[in-house]
């Protein structure tokens, strides 16, 4: 900005000090403002200063010229969009999700996925908000990058805070690129790179880790070992054994976790031998087969090196029993069954007849989860349902974590069966435990069963009881997990249940909120689907 | 005349109402959704938290809203929702004849509009004489009070200068506000407001001393002008009186001849002044040659009239408040209803240098001018740097600095995509505050958005 003659600066510095009877005239430049100021009566000192300031200020404001832009700051225009934008109705929905009533992150993900499926991109107005949402929430970053379009990528390039959009994804065909990123990336970037690369070329991914092993810090080393879990095999054994003797515990822990799961690895063989050494099958004259245990006498260095925790944190289990259980947990159930020559069902039967029932069953449960052994989990489920003591010992249905091990359809079938079961109390709890573990992709059948189940439960339980809270929680889950096609059916189930005033007072809002969100999700998907057809 | 979601949202009195209206804009919440074949009215029934559904109606010629809900906001969230539904999902409405309650309401509105156009009953000569005398006395009283207040203010200004600005900068804001209160007591509220503004100038950071001495100087100029007001031409007198705080009675003003035009609504801004919300609506003729600013106020719980939303037009006769620089105006007579415009052409300058010349002329006419309307065509938003903030770049590569308080720089850049757009805003002598943008005919309001503080 051009300053005409510096009159104003002069006046301001005089005014700052105050009180001084300074003659302004010689300080002023000769421009029309200065000339006018000179004509003021100097005897009225303060008035002259004030008038002079007004004159100089107005002169400057009126004569203001603006500076030119350095050409480097200007960016070229963004490329044209290749895909159509979504409708203004969809924009309104998205704003509801970002700022309004439906702010849960899972709703945003659902909306974004539908937008991607509809092949639509954002209109310019919403881009800054979307890019910010991606900056703050790493879980939606990938989806957001897919809906911002050309304009969005152009805009992101203008702001270093949005650099995640253009974060380089290497072409895995190009080993040089991969190496460069491996050497220059942050830990998070390297872990992401490694995880993806491992799916493309197992050996090459491992080679990357080995390359910088000597100089990488221990937290990185532990994270990298963990990232190699995809299809861990015998060719990984050398690196993992090296890691097993690492100075730092977190690296050793990550290494033994993987080694124990690799069939045929030396560690897993040692572990299996230890477990089997303790187990013997005893059949009495009149009694069926059962397991007898010879508990390990010590927890030696070799056992600790292989990952066994020397200290038990379980008050109900003695030290030696704990060591045995540790070996059992790290033994693959298929190998166990093979070496003992028994089926899983037989194994569990024999375990329940043993005096070490609890140790064996809890150990087998943990092994089943660790090795993802669906068959053993199924057998465990059967036994737990039949025997309440075992169910308690194992820690309830929830701890069986069925959803993690069994195929989805099977879990749903079990859940639906439990909900329809006439055996009210126990089956209810069991059904609820199952429902809570399924956190995505509810099918229409499952939803219909849950809606009916909750509706019945709402009528039978007492308001403000613990049970009522659970049903409210499930109502909430229905709102964001139910497939939207079923919205009207769910609404019908609950609106027919307008009970008395008390019921309305306690359940009214929860039901209204649930149906609101459900319908909103349906509307938002419909709006995007509709536009997918048109152009 | 198609309404868009954005235009409807612009009618909401605040962001909370807009959001609530959006939440109600699903057909399931409405028992009845209908419109009449003439395209004048919408009506519907919306289930609220009470037992009976609320009856909502909208007069599209206006637009005007009526609802049986107890909300004090205007328009209420039900009205907004109904109009939103009409804008987005018209196919969910049934066509039909309006029920009686709607017809009665429309008829009442029509007779009210007519009554406004009729002249008031004449008064007797005796009444006229008495009221003229009383008025003259009141005017004389006020002149002397104001005169005393202004003189006191001028002495105070000189005192501040004598103490030196450095001494004054550290004073708490009461130092300024107390002086302002005295001017209010002297019936010079305009001068009081200018004094209040000094408090923020004193704490405005780098360059504050220059800015403060200039503002003090301008107040002194105002006092000097008022002393000699009798010797000055009529229009200058009017300007001075306006800045000191004389207000003209609406009836007097509206007796003057006005300017008949089709007015485009270019932008709107609000500010808080001593518990009163002030709303400035900027309008211009289609070619941009005539501009005007409409002021409205809301005190305490009152709600502003937001019917003239930026992005539309209306035909009316506007009367300018007297003064050297014709800017503030009032609506004398509406010839047509407000209508949103689908493809907007912003009338304006393409080069900053031309607009700065206009600003200089305006300052010459009214040295106490605070906000000047600026329409710029073919400018590109640019981020200068983290510290310098945003600017608009014109065809001569001139950088027009944008106010640091502007929060929607990224939206502006996203809308432009590096290409030239049109922007309308308020210039305060240092910075431009963008209020609206037009991108390929599409009008976008840049008022604070949802998710931001108002």
């Amino acid at each position: 900005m051009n300053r005409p003659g510096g009159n104003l600066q002069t006046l301001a510095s005089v005014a700052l000090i105050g009180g001084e009877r300074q003659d302004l005239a010689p300080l002023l430049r000769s421009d029309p403002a200065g000339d006018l100021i000179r004509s003021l009566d100097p005897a009225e000192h303060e008035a002259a200063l004030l008038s002079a300031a007004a004159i100089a200020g107005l002169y400057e404001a009126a004569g203001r010229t603006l500076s030119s832009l350095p050409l480097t700051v200007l960016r070229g225009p963004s490329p044209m969009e290749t895909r159509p934008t979504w409708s203004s109705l969809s924009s309104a929905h998205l704003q509801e999700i970002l700022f309004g009533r439906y702010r849960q992150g899972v709703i945003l993900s659902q909306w974004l996925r539908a937008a991607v499926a509809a092949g639509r991109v954002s209109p310019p107005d919403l881009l800054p908000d979307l890019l910010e949402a991606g900056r703050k929430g790493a879980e939606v970053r990938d989806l957001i990058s897919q809906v911002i379009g050309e304009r969005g990528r152009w805009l992101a390039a203008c702001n270093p805070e949005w650099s995640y959009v253009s974060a380089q994804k290497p072409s895995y065909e190009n080993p040089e690129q991969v190496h460069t990123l491996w050497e220059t990336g942050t830990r998070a970037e390297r872990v992401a790179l490694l995880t993806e690369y491992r799916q493309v070329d197992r050996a090459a991914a491992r080679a990357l880790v080995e390359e910088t092993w000597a100089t990488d810090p221990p937290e990185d080393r532990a994270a990298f070992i963990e990232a190699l879990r995809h299809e861990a095999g015998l060719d990984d054994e050398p690196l993992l054994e090296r890691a097993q003797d690492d100075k730092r515990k977190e690296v050793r822990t990550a290494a033994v976790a993987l080694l124990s799961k690799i069939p045929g690895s030396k560690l897993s063989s040692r572990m299996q031998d230890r477990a089997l050494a303790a187990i013997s099958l005893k059949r009495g004259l009149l009694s069926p087969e059962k397991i007898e245990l010879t508990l390990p006498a010590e927890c030696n260095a070799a056992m600790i090196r292989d990952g066994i925790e020397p200290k038990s944190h379980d008050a109900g289990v003695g030290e030696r029993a704990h060591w045995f259980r540790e070996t059992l947990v790290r033994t693959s159930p298929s190998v166990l069954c093979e070496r003992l020559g028994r089926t899983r069902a037989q194994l569990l039967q024999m375990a329940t007849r043993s005096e070490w029932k609890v140790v064996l069953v809890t150990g087998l449960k943990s092994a089943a989860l660790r090795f993802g052994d669906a068959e053993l989990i199924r057998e465990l489920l059967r036994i737990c349902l039949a025997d309440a003591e075992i169910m308690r010992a194992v820690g309830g249905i929830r701890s069986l974590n069925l959803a993690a091990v069994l195929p989805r359809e099977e879990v749903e079938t079990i859940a639906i069966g439990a909900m329809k079961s006439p055996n009210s109390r126990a089956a209810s709890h069991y059904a609820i435990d199952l429902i809570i573990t399924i956190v995505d992709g509810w099918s229409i059948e499952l939803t219909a069963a849950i809606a009916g189940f909750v509706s019945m439960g709402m009528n039978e339980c007492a308001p403000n009881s613990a049970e009522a809270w659970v049903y409210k929680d499930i109502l909430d889950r229905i709102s964001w997990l139910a497939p939207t096609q079923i919205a009207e059916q769910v609404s019908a189930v609950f609106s027919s249940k307008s009970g008395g005033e008390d019921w309305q007072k306690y359940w009214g809002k929860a039901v209204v909120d649930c149906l609101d969100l459900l319908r909103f999700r349906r509307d938002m998907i419909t709006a995007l689907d509709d536009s997918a057809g048109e152009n | 005349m198609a309404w868009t979601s954005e235009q409807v949202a612009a009618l909401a009195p605040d962001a909370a109402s807009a959001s609530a209206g959006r939440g109600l804009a699903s057909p399931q919440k409405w028992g009845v959704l209908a419109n009449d074949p003439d395209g004048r009215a919408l009506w519907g029934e919306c289930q609220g938290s009470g037992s009976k559904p609320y009856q909502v109606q909208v007069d599209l010629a206006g637009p005007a809203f009526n609802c049986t809900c107890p909300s004090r906001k205007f328009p209420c969230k039900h009205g907004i929702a109904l109009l939103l539904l009409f804008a987005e999902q018209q196919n969910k409405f049934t066509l039909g004849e309006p029920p009686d309650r709607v017809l009665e309401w429309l008829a009442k509105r029509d007779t009210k509009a007519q009554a406004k156009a009729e002249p008031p009953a004449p008064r007797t000569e005796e009444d006229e004489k008495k009221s003229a005398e009383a008025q003259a006395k009141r005017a004389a009283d006020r002149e002397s009070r104001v005169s005393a207040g202004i003189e006191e203010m001028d002495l105070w200004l000189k005192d501040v200068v004598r103490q030196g600005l450095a001494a004054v900068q550290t004073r708490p804001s009461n130092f300024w506000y107390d002086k302002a209160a005295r001017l209010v007591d002297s019936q010079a509220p305009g001068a009081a407001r200018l004094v209040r503004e000094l408090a923020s100038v004193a704490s405005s950071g780098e360059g504050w001393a220059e800015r403060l001495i200039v503002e003090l100087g301008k107040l002194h100029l105002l006092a000097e002008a008022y002393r000699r007001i009798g010797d000055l031409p009529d229009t200058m007198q009017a300007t001075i009186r306006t800045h000191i705080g004389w207000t003209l009675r609406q009836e007097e003003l509206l007796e003057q001849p006005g300017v008949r035009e089709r007015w485009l609504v270019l932008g709107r801004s609000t500010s808080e002044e001593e518990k009163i919300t002030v709303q400035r609506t900027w309008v211009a003729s289609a070619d941009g040659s005539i501009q005007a600013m409409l002021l409205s106020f809301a005190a305490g719980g009152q709600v502003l009239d937001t019917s003239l939303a930026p992005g539309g037009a209306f035909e009316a006769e506007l009367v300018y408040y007297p003064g050297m620089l014709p800017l503030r105006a009032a609506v004398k007579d509406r010839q047509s209803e407000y209508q949103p415009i689908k493809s907007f052409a912003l009338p304006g300058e393409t080069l900053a240098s031309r607009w700065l010349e206009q600003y200089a002329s305006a300052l010459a006419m009214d040295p106490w001018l605070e906000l000047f309307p600026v329409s710029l065509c073919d400018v590109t938003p640019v981020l200068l740097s983290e510290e310098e903030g945003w600017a608009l770049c014109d065809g001569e590569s001139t950088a027009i600095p944008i106010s640091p308080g502007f929060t929607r720089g990224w939206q502006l850049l996203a809308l432009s995509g590096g290409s030239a757009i049109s922007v309308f805003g308020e210039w305060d002598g240092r910075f431009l505050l963008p209020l609206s943008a037009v991108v390929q005919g599409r009008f976008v309001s840049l008022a604070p958005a949802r998710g931001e503080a108002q």
Side-chain angles (χ1 to χ4, degrees):
Chain A
M1 193 187 83
N2 299 335
R3 315 288 311 276
N7 283 335
L8 198 48
Q9 275 174 322
T10 311
L11 293 168
S13 48
V14 170
L16 261 176
I17 312 163
E20 225 174 272
R21 308 212 126 241
Q22 190 170 18
D23 182 15
L24 300 171
L27 300 170
L28 301 171
R29 304 282 177 87
S30 59
D31 52 25
D35 293 341
L36 187 55
I37 295 172
R38 264 181 267 270
S39 70
L40 295 170
D41 176 7
E44 291 283 322
H45 174 76
E46 288 89 14
L49 183 57
L50 284 164
S51 298
I55 293 167
L58 286 165
Y59 188 71
E60 252 193 44
R64 181 108 185 250
T65 54
L66 302 171
S67 48
S68 275
L69 206 57
L71 285 168
T72 49
V73 185
L74 277 170
R75 307 187 64 93
S78 86
M80 298 286 290
E81 293 292 351
T82 50
R83 285 185 282 157
T85 59
W86 54 67
S87 64
S88 55
L89 182 56
S90 286
S91 281
H93 289 150
L94 181 58
Q95 287 192 303
E96 245 352 271
I97 296 172
L98 290 175
F99 307 116
R101 307 171 56 205
Y102 304 116
R103 248 178 271 199
Q104 297 96 303
V106 65
I107 310 289
L108 179 60
S109 302
Q110 290 177 0
W111 191 93
L112 288 170
R113 255 177 241 125
V116 170
R120 296 263 154 172
V121 295
S122 172
D125 319 44
L126 288 174
L127 286 173
D129 296 323
L130 273 173
L131 287 166
E132 270 298 287
R135 181 182 71 85
K136 292 182 194 155
E139 55 302 340
V140 287
R141 228 168 251 194
D142 193 45
L143 286 169
I144 285 182
S145 301
Q146 293 179 58
V147 298
I148 52 177
E150 293 300 331
R151 184 66 63 92
R153 278 185 279 281
W154 177 88
L155 192 66
C158 301
N159 188 350
E161 299 211 318
W162 296 332
S163 56
Y164 66 83
V165 166
S166 57
Q168 267 191 297
K169 285 218 150 162
S171 155
Y172 292 112
E173 320 290 307
N174 188 338
E176 235 186 80
Q177 255 189 38
V178 175
H179 271 82
T180 315
L181 281 167
W182 179 251
E183 276 149 34
T184 58
T186 62
R187 187 203 309 175
E189 286 170 351
R190 293 168 86 195
V191 168
L193 173 67
L194 190 60
T195 312
E196 274 194 18
Y197 197 31
R198 176 75 169 174
Q199 319 238 352
V200 171
D201 187 341
R202 282 182 59 250
R206 185 184 59 246
L208 274 185
V209 176
E210 287 170 327
E211 215 178 272
T212 54
W213 187 258
T215 49
D216 280 334
E219 300 85 10
D220 287 14
R221 295 205 294 274
F224 296 154
I225 295 288
E226 218 276 323
L228 290 177
R229 66 184 172 280
H230 174 77
E231 288 184 7
L234 282 171
D235 52 342
D236 299 316
E237 198 171 15
L239 171 63
L240 292 173
E241 294 207 319
R242 196 172 147 196
Q244 191 183 3
D245 291 319
D246 194 281
K247 275 185 291 185
R248 290 285 288 262
K249 179 155 190 200
E250 59 256 65
V251 184
R252 299 197 299 266
T253 311
V256 299
L258 275 192
L259 277 171
S260 67
K261 288 189 207 154
I262 298 176
S265 71
K266 298 191 206 96
L267 185 149
S268 64
S269 297
R270 289 194 292 269
M271 201 62 79
Q272 286 152 14
D273 290 342
R274 290 184 191 113
L276 287 159
I279 296 176
S280 48
L281 306 181
K282 203 66 173 288
R283 180 199 291 271
L285 276 172
L286 300 168
S287 51
E289 253 188 331
K290 65 173 179 173
I291 294 181
E292 272 191 11
L293 292 183
T294 318
L295 298 179
E298 54 164 7
C299 181
N300 58 31
M303 286 163 76
I304 295 177
R305 177 175 175 263
D306 282 347
I308 292 182
E309 281 293 326
K311 285 240 160 53
S312 163
H313 299 285
D314 187 353
V317 166
E319 207 176 44
R320 294 172 64 192
H322 160 75
W323 295 332
F324 164 72
R325 187 162 65 184
E326 287 280 287
T327 64
L328 183 60
V329 165
R330 289 163 176 72
T331 300
S332 152
S334 6
V335 166
L336 196 62
C337 289
E338 202 189 303
R339 296 273 286 268
L340 289 173
R342 299 285 183 277
T343 65
R344 287 163 174 75
Q346 290 169 327
L347 187 64
L348 277 173
Q349 287 293 337
M350 296 189 295
T352 55
R353 295 184 208 121
S354 165
E355 67 177 294
W356 298 103
K357 175 164 62 175
V358 171
V359 168
L360 283 165
V361 172
T362 51
L364 285 169
K365 177 203 85 171
S366 299
L369 289 176
R370 174 183 277 248
F371 288 90
D373 197 314
E375 188 54 49
L376 184 53
I377 285 284
R378 274 184 209 112
E379 294 301 325
L380 265 166
L381 181 63
R382 266 180 223 127
I383 291 200
C384 287
L385 289 175
D387 185 339
E389 193 201 333
I390 303 230
M391 173 80 95
R392 250 196 323 276
V394 150
I397 295 289
R398 217 178 287 200
S399 74
L400 286 180
N401 206 355
L402 298 176
V405 180
L406 298 179
R408 166 55 60 83
E409 302 82 51
E410 190 177 341
V411 178
E412 286 203 2
T413 311
I414 297 174
I416 294 176
M419 283 186 269
K420 298 209 171 109
S421 159
N423 200 350
S424 58
R425 202 101 208 184
S428 281
H429 289 162
Y430 162 35
I432 290 170
D433 277 351
L434 277 175
I435 296 170
I436 289 178
T437 56
I438 308 175
V439 287
D440 61 359
W442 285 13
S443 70
I444 292 185
E445 296 77 30
L446 179 65
T447 310
I450 293 177
F453 175 70
V454 169
S455 167
M456 248 181 21
M458 277 160 66
N459 286 342
E460 287 167 8
C461 76
N464 277 319
S465 60
E467 233 177 312
W469 277 107
V470 171
Y471 285 122
K472 270 200 175 173
D473 176 60
I474 301 182
L475 250 185
D476 177 61
R477 283 162 192 267
I478 291 177
S479 69
W480 53 275
L481 283 170
T484 54
Q485 305 92 301
I486 203 182
E488 282 318 307
Q489 285 155 271
V490 172
S491 166
V493 167
F494 289 111
S495 32
S496 62
K497 288 280 178 256
S498 40
E501 246 196 81
D502 284 339
W503 189 97
Q504 190 61 38
K505 214 165 70 167
Y506 187 70
W507 293 105
K509 184 171 190 302
V511 171
V512 164
D513 286 348
C514 168
L515 296 179
D516 253 0
L517 178 53
L518 195 51
R519 287 197 195 108
F520 174 75
R521 283 174 57 231
R522 181 202 48 201
D523 289 345
M524 76 187 200
I525 305 282
T526 311
L528 283 166
D529 280 348
D530 279 350
S531 64
E534 33 165 290
N535 202 343
Chain B
M1 180 204 76
W3 287 84
T4 67
S5 318
E6 288 167 344
Q7 287 158 343
V8 177
L11 296 172
D14 54 38
S17 302
S19 164
R22 161 57 48 202
L24 285 174
S26 355
Q28 304 89 245
K29 307 225 165 136
W30 294 76
V32 173
L33 276 177
N35 60 324
D36 69 342
D38 300 324
R40 169 103 192 254
L42 310 174
W43 63 98
E45 283 180 17
C46 180
Q47 188 59 46
S49 47
S51 50
K52 277 181 67 192
Y54 298 126
Q55 298 180 322
V56 194
Q57 47 216 39
V58 175
D59 179 351
L60 288 168
F65 303 82
N66 183 275
C67 179
T68 55
C69 78
S71 166
R72 273 178 293 127
K73 289 204 180 161
F74 199 73
C76 69
K77 59 186 180 185
H78 305 102
I80 300 277
L82 185 56
L83 191 52
L84 263 179
L85 273 168
F86 189 64
E88 293 166 355
Q89 304 183 58
Q90 205 171 337
N91 53 351
K92 299 281 177 24
F93 281 68
T94 36
L95 209 58
E97 282 308 312
D100 287 336
R101 61 175 166 88
V102 176
L103 290 170
E104 280 168 18
W105 175 63
L106 290 174
K108 247 200 281 187
R109 280 181 46 76
D110 288 340
T111 42
K112 232 201 275 189
Q114 233 183 346
K116 257 194 195 166
E118 282 167 14
R123 305 193 294 177
T124 70
E125 243 188 80
E126 191 60 40
D127 288 337
E128 293 278 9
K129 191 153 159 261
K130 272 212 194 122
S131 108
E133 281 172 8
Q135 240 185 321
K137 175 147 198 320
R138 274 199 300 274
D141 283 345
R142 186 169 182 186
E143 289 279 358
S144 55
R145 256 198 289 271
V146 169
S147 200
I150 295 292
E151 285 307 315
E152 190 188 313
M153 177 188 83
D154 205 31
L155 286 173
W156 171 72
L157 288 171
K158 294 177 185 165
D159 198 50
V160 168
V161 166
R162 223 188 330 268
Q163 283 182 54
L165 299 186
V168 154
Q169 197 209 13
T170 50
R171 300 291 202 110
S173 35
N174 278 338
F175 173 73
W176 312 95
Y177 289 0
D178 288 347
K179 274 288 162 278
R182 289 192 67 78
L183 282 163
V184 169
D185 291 342
S186 311
Q187 292 188 281
R193 192 176 66 78
L194 294 173
V195 170
R196 242 178 271 125
E197 295 282 307
L198 296 175
S200 48
V201 176
S203 52
S204 60
E206 201 186 306
W208 68 271
E210 287 173 23
R211 287 192 287 278
L212 185 58
I213 190 65
V214 168
E215 293 307 312
L216 292 169
K218 290 208 285 199
L219 270 171
H220 171 69
L221 187 66
L222 189 61
E224 284 270 317
Y226 182 66
R227 242 173 249 132
R228 304 186 294 133
I229 198 166
D231 303 333
L232 300 172
D234 282 352
T235 49
M236 217 182 277
Q237 289 196 28
T239 297
I240 293 164
R241 285 190 191 278
T242 306
H243 284 297
I244 289 190
W246 257 275
T247 49
L248 201 52
R249 273 176 42 237
Q250 281 270 353
E251 300 89 49
E252 265 186 66
L253 177 70
L254 295 179
E255 276 163 22
Q256 309 303 315
V259 179
R260 257 188 204 197
E261 258 297 337
R262 180 167 176 269
W263 302 96
L264 302 178
V265 185
L266 302 182
R268 188 162 69 191
S269 68
T270 54
S271 47
E272 300 292 322
E273 286 173 18
E274 285 280 291
K275 300 172 200 160
I276 296 188
T277 309
V278 181
Q279 175 180 268
R280 286 173 290 271
T281 306
W282 299 96
V283 301
S285 56
D287 63 359
S289 55
I290 319 172
Q291 290 171 317
M293 174 188 68
L294 306 171
L295 272 185
S296 51
F297 305 89
Q302 278 182 318
V303 170
L304 289 165
D305 174 12
T306 52
S307 61
L308 296 177
F314 62 100
E315 282 170 27
E317 188 177 345
L318 295 187
V319 181
Y320 282 95
Y321 281 69
M324 295 279 293
L325 176 67
L327 198 55
R328 186 179 170 198
V331 178
K332 178 169 175 176
D333 181 28
R334 285 256 275 255
Q335 273 91 50
S336 88
E337 299 306 335
Y338 168 85
Q339 284 190 13
I341 296 180
K342 198 154 178 203
S343 183
F344 204 92
L346 189 76
E349 295 297 332
T350 54
L351 295 179
S353 47
R354 268 198 232 120
W355 138 60
L356 285 171
E357 277 168 25
Q358 293 169 5
Y359 178 62
S361 310
L363 265 190
M365 286 190 268
D366 182 355
W368 302 278
L369 175 68
E370 287 175 64
L371 294 175
F372 187 65
V374 176
S375 279
L376 291 165
C377 305
D378 285 342
V379 286
T380 316
V382 148
L383 180 60
L384 294 175
S385 71
E386 193 67 48
E387 309 86 51
E388 290 170 274
W390 294 92
L392 292 174
C393 178
D394 76 348
E396 286 174 336
S397 290
T398 310
I400 300 150
I402 287 180
S403 168
F406 181 59
T407 52
R408 303 193 68 190
W410 288 109
Q411 263 89 3
L412 205 52
L413 187 61
L415 285 166
S416 111
S419 306
I421 58 174
S422 300
V423 174
F424 174 81
E426 291 169 347
W427 174 253
D428 66 1
R430 291 170 67 209
F431 295 112
L432 179 72
L433 178 70
L435 298 178
S436 329
V438 181
V439 184
Q440 294 174 336
R442 187 177 143 229
F443 190 93
V444 179
S445 167
L446 298 171
R450 305 176 64 187
E452 295 170 9
Q454 272 282 34

